[in-house]
Amino acid sequence: MNDLFKFFNAIPWWLWFVLLLVIIAIRDIVQRKHTINRNYPVFGHLRYILESIGPELRQYLVANNREELPFNRIERGWVYASSKNENNYEGFGTDRDIFSHQHVFVNNAMFPFKIGDSHPNAIDNSFLPCARIIGAFNNRKKPYRPASVINVSAMSFGSLSAKAIESLNKGIKLANAYHNTGEGGLSPYHSHGGDVVFHFGTGYFGVRSEDGNFSMEKMKKLVEDNPFIRAIEIKLSQGAKPGKGGVLPGEKISKEIAEIRGVEVGKTVLSPPNHKAFSTIPEMVDFIEAIAEETGLPVGIKAAIGKLEQWNELADHMIKTGKGPDFIAVDGGEGGTGAAPPSFADHVSLPWVYGFGDLYKLFKEKNLTERIVFIGSGKLGFPAKAAMAFAMGVDCINVAREAMMSIGCIQAQVCHTNRCPTGIATQNKWLQRGIDIPLKSERLAQYFKTFRKELVEITHAAGHEHPCEFTMDDIEVNVDDHNLSKNLSSTYQYDKVKVPFNSMQQLKDCKYLGGKTGN
């Protein structure tokens, strides 16, 4: 035995390395699954290694500050710095191409809005509640005015980890905002003192009967047992995959998740594209009114926008009956935290600015905007974009990915793999251990406070006291497509005053011409 050990020990390390490469080469040549490895033994593996770390290489070494999607380095840096209460300023001017398509400009006033010493913003520069009360028009028993114009959007326990949900909930309590549960049901991690909007979709998780239908009894008990639930949101569709249901694999359904969602442990659950509780506009409105009557809470709907025919039908039904949702949350078709096939994330539903504009215009033409509180959700977690959204008609905004970044998300874009390196979008306990809940909750709160402070400052710069006062004329966006190009007088709506001019010689002879002396 000792002789055998001495024999192997006498072989140099490089020979072992060569032997390993030979074994890999033989395996590559024999296998038939990977053409590159079969044609280029050993060296072919480099291609797959580089491909696997490609996103990281592009993010940290290749892409410039403004190039990445869905959020570029400057945007992520602003959220990170804001959440840590660090310097989030830029020096030496912007490096953004301000002439690019859809760039947003806020028209500042000659004299900004002036606040006195006793003004709320002089005492708390992040004080910025919603200007409207949800449920007031329909005389709900428990109307609700959000204390913050920025709130946490729908992200469920299951898609996010327990520690992430708890960090968000404790953070919104510190920031005096609200927390949307997402469609995974109300978990213990949503129950740390912050206001909650209970959200459910076609799976009816948390308010689900044994046969998979909606249970009004469970809804009533949920609201009675949890008075911090301030409103209810029914999901019709979401920006990530509008018109498509979801699948919760059985292996991900632990005992805890099963109890919260009202499903069986280890059994795959399908969320269909359509609701079982209603299938027409009148049925949906009756469903909304029934929940509002039984719970006393405002009830709204969430959807990504595409075709407008059924929205037009909803508006006409609201006019006819005097009933309808208390709020509408409009999601952007550019996607969000939900995992989806590229065909849906890239192509189905309109981007937020187009979808919201179409919907708001429809309700405005029907004189219904005063009856609805509009909530925007789609990459609006930056003050200038929020100003644009308020100018278009929103009353509040919800943020999802921006909130995730404030508690540590690095945009690894592996949310759907259960391997989130920051522990936020995974159920892996080892990865979750990196989340310090008290610290992360403070960072979420600080991000919200910084956001509100800067939105207030932009609002004052435009001559207004509250973002609700923004008008469409306060914001401009580039629409510089070549086929839409106009002359300057048409673009900027004025003609330049003519300058007196006769000849270049006259200018040359002028005694006031610069460079001359003794005249």
Side-chain angles (χ1 to χ4, degrees):
M1 189 71 179
N2 289 334
D3 292 339
L4 185 63
F5 177 78
K6 290 179 181 179
F7 171 76
F8 283 114
N9 197 41
I11 299 175
W13 67 268
W14 59 266
L15 194 57
W16 284 114
F17 182 69
V18 171
L19 181 61
L20 177 63
L21 294 180
V22 170
I23 293 172
I24 293 174
I26 293 172
R27 177 187 176 278
D28 288 344
I29 293 171
V30 171
Q31 62 85 33
R32 297 178 181 273
K33 292 177 63 176
H34 301 286
T35 302
I36 295 294
N37 289 349
R38 185 176 173 84
N39 291 343
Y40 303 94
V42 180
F43 292 101
H45 290 278
L46 294 176
R47 184 261 182 195
Y48 295 104
I49 293 171
L50 290 174
E51 182 183 46
S52 68
I53 63 172
E56 288 79 8
L57 290 175
R58 289 189 293 273
Q59 183 174 134
Y60 296 110
L61 300 177
V62 179
N64 66 40
N65 287 343
R66 299 286 186 181
E67 195 172 27
E68 296 171 273
L69 290 173
F71 296 93
N72 62 49
R73 189 176 292 117
I74 292 294
E75 290 171 330
R76 298 199 312 275
W78 181 84
V79 173
Y80 296 149
S82 298
S83 66
K84 298 173 185 176
N85 201 23
E86 295 176 349
N87 186 345
N88 62 4
Y89 284 24
E90 292 181 4
F92 212 66
T94 182
D95 61 357
R96 181 187 290 272
D97 179 5
I98 62 174
F99 300 101
S100 62
H101 185 64
Q102 289 291 311
H103 184 75
V104 175
F105 301 93
V106 179
N107 292 323
N108 61 295
M110 179 181 287
F111 300 110
F113 178 82
K114 186 177 181 179
I115 63 174
D117 294 339
S118 60
H119 191 278
N121 290 132
I123 301 168
D124 178 3
N125 58 17
S126 69
F127 176 76
L128 194 56
C130 180
R132 300 184 62 196
I133 301 173
I134 303 175
F137 184 89
N138 290 322
N139 296 312
R140 304 304 187 199
K141 297 173 185 174
K142 303 174 185 176
Y144 175 52
R145 184 201 298 272
S148 171
V149 297
I150 178 174
N151 302 281
V152 173
S153 191
M155 296 182 287
S156 62
F157 170 55
S159 61
L160 297 193
S161 68
K163 284 193 171 185
I165 293 292
E166 186 173 339
S167 298
L168 293 173
N169 193 259
K170 290 183 174 180
I172 61 104
K173 181 182 180 182
L174 295 173
N176 205 15
Y178 71 67
H179 188 181
N180 190 306
T181 63
E183 62 180 309
L186 182 74
S187 73
Y189 313 106
H190 291 101
S191 310
H192 291 278
D195 285 351
V196 163
V197 172
F198 180 75
H199 168 112
F200 67 89
T202 58
Y204 305 120
F205 299 128
V207 287
R208 177 186 176 100
S209 61
E210 291 184 3
D211 60 1
N213 291 313
F214 174 79
S215 169
M216 185 65 80
E217 290 72 24
K218 287 189 176 181
M219 173 63 81
K220 289 172 61 177
K221 181 170 176 30
L222 186 76
V223 172
E224 290 170 0
D225 293 346
N226 301 281
F228 52 83
I229 297 177
R230 307 302 300 273
I232 296 166
E233 181 176 273
I234 304 168
K235 189 190 85 170
L236 304 181
S237 61
Q238 67 183 96
K241 45 187 174 183
K244 180 177 172 60
V247 178
L248 188 63
E251 59 267 21
K252 293 189 70 175
I253 302 179
S254 64
K255 181 180 179 181
E256 181 180 36
I257 291 177
E259 290 176 353
I260 292 168
R261 297 198 176 204
V263 297
E264 294 183 38
V265 177
K267 185 177 180 180
T268 296
V269 177
L270 301 177
S271 296
N274 299 302
H275 277 269
K276 295 180 181 179
F278 56 86
S279 58
T280 66
I281 294 297
E283 288 176 357
M284 182 183 75
V285 171
D286 289 344
F287 184 62
I288 290 170
E289 294 295 330
I291 294 175
E293 179 63 28
E294 293 291 341
T295 65
L297 297 177
V299 181
I301 55 178
K302 173 184 177 178
I305 309 301
K307 294 181 179 180
L308 294 178
E309 289 87 350
Q310 289 171 316
W311 290 101
N312 191 70
E313 183 184 350
L314 172 61
D316 289 341
H317 190 77
M318 290 172 65
I319 294 171
K320 179 181 177 180
T321 63
K323 301 175 181 178
D326 297 293
F327 64 93
I328 298 176
V330 177
D331 209 3
E334 50 266 63
T337 56
S343 55
F344 273 79
D346 294 348
H347 301 290
V348 182
S349 185
L350 294 172
W352 186 86
V353 287
Y354 301 150
F356 181 84
D358 287 351
L359 185 70
Y360 187 88
K361 183 164 59 176
L362 187 156
F363 275 77
K364 181 177 182 294
E365 290 171 352
K366 306 274 188 180
N367 295 315
L368 289 171
T369 54
E370 292 185 359
R371 291 174 54 173
I372 299 291
V373 172
F374 287 97
I375 300 172
S377 177
K379 297 176 67 175
L380 300 176
F382 304 91
K385 288 186 177 180
M388 175 197 68
F390 275 92
M392 293 179 68
V394 305
D395 300 292
C396 282
I397 68 166
N398 287 349
V399 295
R401 290 171 288 184
E402 299 93 320
M404 289 169 63
M405 288 190 287
S406 75
I407 64 170
C409 170
I410 61 171
Q411 193 173 278
Q413 295 182 277
V414 291
C415 311
H416 58 295
T417 67
N418 204 37
R419 297 195 304 270
C420 171
T422 62
I424 294 172
T426 177
Q427 299 307 308
N428 183 299
K429 298 296 184 182
W430 172 260
L431 294 171
Q432 289 183 48
R433 64 185 290 275
I435 298 178
D436 183 321
I437 293 175
L439 175 64
K440 298 303 184 181
S441 61
E442 289 175 4
R443 288 187 176 177
L444 182 280
Q446 187 58 53
Y447 160 59
F448 273 21
K449 291 176 182 178
T450 303
F451 174 94
R452 293 194 303 243
K453 168 183 172 291
E454 293 195 12
L455 180 55
V456 163
E457 292 170 345
I458 287 178
T459 303
H460 292 173
H464 301 305
E465 184 176 8
H466 190 283
C468 70
E469 297 177 287
F470 274 115
T471 69
M472 300 289 272
D473 293 332
D474 288 317
I475 307 294
E476 295 184 21
V477 294
N478 280 338
V479 286
D480 52 352
D481 184 275
H482 180 68
N483 296 318
L484 297 177
S485 62
K486 302 177 182 179
N487 58 41
L488 289 179
S489 62
S490 298
T491 302
Y492 296 107
Q493 298 295 300
Y494 70 90
D495 288 307
K496 179 184 176 183
V497 176
K498 185 177 180 180
V499 177
F501 174 76
N502 290 319
S503 68
M504 292 291 289
Q505 187 62 51
Q506 186 180 28
L507 295 179
K508 181 179 180 182
D509 294 339
C510 178
K511 64 178 180 179
Y512 300 112
L513 184 65
K516 292 185 177 181
T517 60
N519 291 329

